[in-house]
Amino acid sequence: MTKDSVGVVKLQPWVMLSGEKYSSEGNLEAHYYHAKDNDGKVLFTTKSGQLRKNPDYVLLALPEGQKGVMYKLVEQGRYPELPSNPSFEVPSQWKVQNVEHEQAERYYWYALEVVSDILTNLDTKIEVPRGQSPRYSDIDLFKDRVNVYIQQQ
């Protein structure tokens, strides 16, 4: 993929091992607000795999494009490997599940730095491509929608 590409990951509802349920929107907001409170850093984990096209950015989005948040992809890997910078961590509500389940099950992870506020009304044909995620897009489709973070890089 060319420079300044975006990996689009569509968030699904998440059921914790404890039975607690998070909607797709709850999942999106948990990662966003954790990053905002953690110097812009968050660790996103997934069972589905790595971003194979090595994008520069990741858009975590609701499946129908109602909301999303843009992040810079700093590093990605798979447990038992850990991020090289330990300040990338999962939101607090996932910490126990991460250690007891996700790491043991060898989940994939993305170390992300937030570069936008919550974006709304994304185009579901262009900005959030149809089909299973991850999908890939061009950052130029988002430049007028995100904060100055991306333009400064």
Side-chain angles (χ1 to χ4, degrees), residues 28-56:
L28 176 87
E29 290 178 354
H31 285 87
Y32 173 73
Y33 288 111
H34 176 83
K36 295 298 269 185
D37 290 339
N38 189 40
D39 293 324
K41 296 173 176 60
V42 68
L43 192 67
F44 177 77
T45 58
T46 178
K47 203 174 198 180
S48 62
Q50 288 186 295
L51 294 166
R52 289 179 175 77
K53 295 187 179 186
N54 296 317
D56 298 298

Side-chain angles (χ1 to χ4, degrees), residues 10 13 24-25 32 37 42-43 52 55-57 64 72 82 84-85 89-90 92 100 110 112 120 128 134 142 144 151:
K10 297 177 187 179
S24 297
E25 186 169 359
Y32 173 73
D37 290 339
V42 68
L43 192 67
R52 289 179 175 77
D56 298 298
Y57 298 94
E64 301 303 319
K72 180 168 182 48
L82 296 172
S84 58
N85 181 342
E89 55 188 21
V90 297
S92 58
E100 294 179 358
Y110 311 146
L112 305 172
T120 58
V128 181
F142 299 92
D144 64 339
Q151 287 89 14

Side-chain angles (χ1 to χ4, degrees), residues 25-134:
E25 186 169 359
N27 192 347
L28 176 87
E29 290 178 354
H31 285 87
Y32 173 73
Y33 288 111
H34 176 83
K36 295 298 269 185
D37 290 339
N38 189 40
D39 293 324
K41 296 173 176 60
V42 68
L43 192 67
F44 177 77
T45 58
T46 178
K47 203 174 198 180
S48 62
Q50 288 186 295
L51 294 166
R52 289 179 175 77
K53 295 187 179 186
N54 296 317
D56 298 298
Y57 298 94
V58 173
L59 176 71
L60 298 182
L62 300 186
E64 301 303 319
Q66 309 94 313
K67 291 183 179 181
V69 177
M70 184 74 68
Y71 297 87
K72 180 168 182 48
L73 178 63
V74 176
E75 185 180 6
Q76 63 179 326
R78 186 174 190 185
Y79 294 118
E81 177 187 349
L82 296 172
S84 58
N85 181 342
S87 64
F88 287 96
E89 55 188 21
V90 297
S92 58
Q93 57 269 55
W94 275 276
K95 284 188 186 223
V96 171
Q97 179 160 320
N98 178 261
V99 171
E100 294 179 358
H101 178 71
E102 294 174 356
Q103 291 184 27
E105 293 291 319
R106 300 196 66 228
Y107 274 41
Y108 295 88
W109 52 261
Y110 311 146
L112 305 172
E113 289 182 350
V114 67
V115 296
S116 82
D117 290 326
I118 295 175
L119 307 171
T120 58
N121 299 317
L122 299 167
D123 185 319
T124 57
K125 294 177 186 163
I126 298 172
E127 295 169 331
V128 181
R130 292 183 180 174
Q132 291 183 327
S133 65

